[in-house]
Amino acid sequence: MPANYEFVDDITIPDDMQIAAGAPFTKVWRLRNNGDVNWSAGFTLQYKEGEQMGTTTSVPLPPCAVGKTVDVSLPLTAPTAPGTAFTDWFLHDADGNVFGTYPVYARVTVMAEGALQAQPDGDFEADLTIPDDTIMKLGMSFEKKWLVRNTGNVAWTDGFKLVWVDGEQMGAVYEVPLAPTNVGATSEVAVTFTAPSTPGTVFSDWQFEDANGNKFGNLIYVRINAQAVEESGVDDLTGIADVTIPDDTRMKPNTAFTKTWRVRNTGTRPWTTTYSLHMIKGEPMPTEDKVFLESEVQPGDEIELSVDLKTPEANGTYYTDFKLHDGNDQPFGDILYTRILVEGSTKTSTQQKPANPYANVTLQAPAPFYSQRDPRWGKTRLGTGSVTIEQWGCMMTCNAMILQWKGIGFTPATLNDYMRNNRIYQQGYLTPWNTATLVNGNVRFDARLIKQGEDDKVFGTYLGTIVSGNQIVQKVDEYLQRGIPVMLNVDITPHNAYNSSDTHWVVAVSRYNNDYLVNDPAEQNSGVISLQQKYGRSNQVLADAIVQAILYS
């Protein structure tokens, strides 16, 4: 297939939106490259027919790899005559050839002066500073900056502002002005905060407000992990984007390639040249055991991390997981991974799913498995938040497993849609402790158990009962013996003390000696794994590996 595209969504200016006569606006479409050609220099969007709506006849298309989506922006000006107006535009490749079966278009209802029904609206576009769950020292001052978009039908002018509405104000002013922003355009807005004096996960919700004091648009927020940081600091890494080799890139066997990610140092201390990237799981494609950083990376800075790999010789889907390690070889931060499709070999992979050591174990409470990293939904935004299911959706995915265990047919994708459409998420993206019950009354929420000593570090104690670690284990054992799977909260970085940014949820399906066998939504292949092996510490008892439990029946 040559160059092609698929329409995904109107990001701004839905069909027939009212626009004031002669007013400037920006139309933004989200398109997917579903051809066989990457969009690169020379690819354009060109006017075809209808109202030209301004002097622009051509704009460059943003670069877009095969299979990926991209937002295409077009500045326009509404006609001066009232009525319905449309404009059609076609995509062209670098040789000037039109591609795509249909044009992309804008259709607006032009209103005479004084007749416009003003509908201000706004939405979050991107975090420009302080990504979610950045570690902040207690009492530290910081500036949060968002990129926001005017998705209404009136420009933001003098008197439009962003105001605090919920959560911790964190010493910030109550309101900040919005920059003048035309319909469809983006602008930046910043607020200065001070981290609280007590540890924990803290959020602050803000909303748009017009000159008459009417609030509008979606909430935008800041969420930090306040910690009593020692002078030595805390390491953390947040993955930003795939720079090369997008997920499910098709490749030939025995082919060398370089995978590159853009990442940000979201910790409080520099990464030095003693830090290195290691493979931690998956297909052994790397050509080196570890890759050291070439220069120091300061907190808040972004860099590109690359590894050299070689595709296997057999056909199949392969993934490899990596983590950055500090100078003492301790892993931290987000998992970075590559997933490719090998095609064109005469061999079929026999190594994609290594033998599971627990394959012959009779599970007490088998539950269907879902991965939050599944390509069918991993890149989808969680609720209305700025994070994806892949990044933050472990708890929602575990609830999908519980619902499926009860015979209630949800996948993570359909459950996410249901929770968003029915406003079940808290603050737009947080999964409530009793989610499965809120979704379907045939699932009974019995309890949320929080281990004593960790209750000041977990997010919220609503619907929670503080008990000892041994009491949690006893209750989990009881439920498993009754054939009921249990959601467990574990420490994702067991070499450090547990804190609220370490949280991760799994589903326990069986007791196995001093261990639980669990469905882990962070895994990409189905099959139970050992809780202790992945999330335990050396020589610890099972109770030490668990922070919380949610009991359904």
Side-chain angles (χ1 to χ4, degrees), residues 449 470-480 486 516 551:
L449 306 179
N470 287 331
Q471 287 175 304
I472 292 180
V473 169
Q474 291 170 6
K475 186 59 69 172
V476 173
D477 287 349
E478 172 192 324
Y479 271 63
L480 291 174
V486 178
Y516 286 129
L551 305 174

Side-chain angles (χ1 to χ4, degrees), residues 155-161 178-181 211:
W156 298 346
T157 55
D158 289 345
F160 280 66
K161 62 193 74 167
L178 292 170
T181 310

Side-chain angles (χ1 to χ4, degrees), residues 113-173:
E113 184 177 356
L116 176 69
Q117 298 176 9
Q119 296 175 324
D121 203 358
D123 202 359
F124 165 87
E125 278 289 303
D127 290 312
L128 300 180
T129 64
I130 319 298
D132 294 345
D133 304 306
T134 296
I135 296 171
M136 286 289 174
K137 187 175 182 178
L138 301 181
M140 179 180 178
S141 178
F142 63 95
E143 183 184 67
K144 173 72 178 188
K145 187 180 292 185
W146 302 270
L147 183 69
V148 295
R149 188 182 295 277
N150 180 346
T151 54
N153 68 351
V154 290
W156 298 346
T157 55
D158 289 345
F160 280 66
K161 62 193 74 167
L162 188 69
V163 300
W164 173 73
V165 293
D166 198 8
E168 296 287 339
Q169 198 168 347
M170 287 192 279
V173 295

Side-chain angles (χ1 to χ4, degrees), residues 307-355:
V307 291
D308 293 327
L309 306 106
K310 186 177 181 180
T311 63
E313 64 178 26
N315 291 337
T317 299
Y318 298 90
Y319 75 92
T320 307
D321 289 348
F322 299 84
K323 268 203 170 189
L324 197 60
H325 288 58
D326 65 17
N328 296 317
D329 257 359
Q330 296 294 337
F332 64 89
D334 287 351
I335 292 174
L336 305 175
Y337 73 90
T338 185
R339 186 175 66 236
I340 61 167
L341 305 178
V342 175
E343 298 177 341
S345 174
T346 59
K347 296 183 178 181
T348 300
S349 172
T350 58
Q351 301 178 356
Q352 284 178 256
K353 294 185 178 180

Side-chain angles (χ1 to χ4, degrees), residues 282-315:
E283 186 69 20
M285 292 188 282
T287 58
E288 299 179 82
D289 290 337
K290 61 180 72 173
V291 178
F292 286 92
L293 298 186
E294 296 181 354
S295 59
E296 192 167 281
V297 182
Q298 296 299 320
D301 286 354
E302 293 184 11
I303 62 164
E304 293 184 356
L305 288 178
S306 298
V307 291
D308 293 327
L309 306 106
K310 186 177 181 180
T311 63
E313 64 178 26
N315 291 337

Side-chain angles (χ1 to χ4, degrees), residues 39-309:
W39 302 351
S40 55
F43 279 61
T44 57
L45 180 67
Q46 297 184 22
Y47 168 71
K48 173 64 176 177
E49 60 185 356
E51 297 278 352
Q52 192 172 323
M53 297 194 197
T55 59
T56 301
T57 60
S58 176
V59 294
L61 288 176
C64 186
V66 172
K68 292 298 183 179
T69 59
V70 70
D71 290 351
V72 179
S73 299
L74 178 65
L76 298 167
T77 301
T80 56
T84 298
F86 75 91
T87 182
D88 287 349
W89 295 65
F90 270 102
L91 281 68
H92 292 67
D93 64 19
D95 296 322
N97 301 309
V98 174
F99 64 91
T101 306
Y102 303 102
V104 294
Y105 70 90
R107 189 176 72 230
V108 297
T109 301
V110 181
M111 305 295 290
E113 184 177 356
L116 176 69
Q117 298 176 9
Q119 296 175 324
D121 203 358
D123 202 359
F124 165 87
E125 278 289 303
D127 290 312
L128 300 180
T129 64
I130 319 298
D132 294 345
D133 304 306
T134 296
I135 296 171
M136 286 289 174
K137 187 175 182 178
L138 301 181
M140 179 180 178
S141 178
F142 63 95
E143 183 184 67
K144 173 72 178 188
K145 187 180 292 185
W146 302 270
L147 183 69
V148 295
R149 188 182 295 277
N150 180 346
T151 54
N153 68 351
V154 290
W156 298 346
T157 55
D158 289 345
F160 280 66
K161 62 193 74 167
L162 188 69
V163 300
W164 173 73
V165 293
D166 198 8
E168 296 287 339
Q169 198 168 347
M170 287 192 279
V173 295
Y174 175 76
E175 61 187 35
V176 293
L178 292 170
T181 310
N182 286 330
V183 172
T186 59
S187 60
E188 297 179 7
V189 59
V191 177
T192 300
F193 295 94
T194 301
S197 57
T198 55
T201 297
V202 184
F203 73 91
S204 185
D205 284 348
W206 294 66
Q207 196 169 15
F208 306 100
E209 188 175 279
D210 67 17
N212 297 317
N214 301 309
K215 295 180 177 61
F216 63 88
N218 291 326
L219 293 177
I220 64 174
Y221 65 88
V222 60
R223 189 177 71 231
I224 64 164
N225 177 14
Q227 290 193 17
V229 179
E230 300 176 0
E231 290 304 315
S232 59
V234 174
D235 283 318
D236 201 10
L237 173 151
T238 299
I240 304 299
D242 290 312
V243 178
T244 65
I245 317 298
D247 292 348
D248 302 315
T249 295
R250 291 175 167 83
M251 306 189 75
K252 294 186 181 300
N254 294 317
T255 300
F257 67 100
T258 300
K259 173 72 180 189
T260 302
W261 304 269
R262 175 159 287 279
V263 301
R264 181 183 291 121
N265 181 346
T266 48
T268 60
R269 64 180 179 183
W271 304 340
T272 69
T273 53
T274 65
Y275 285 48
S276 55
L277 192 64
H278 298 221
M279 171 185 163
I280 59 170
K281 193 174 181 62
E283 186 69 20
M285 292 188 282
T287 58
E288 299 179 82
D289 290 337
K290 61 180 72 173
V291 178
F292 286 92
L293 298 186
E294 296 181 354
S295 59
E296 192 167 281
V297 182
Q298 296 299 320
D301 286 354
E302 293 184 11
I303 62 164
E304 293 184 356
L305 288 178
S306 298
V307 291
D308 293 327
L309 306 106

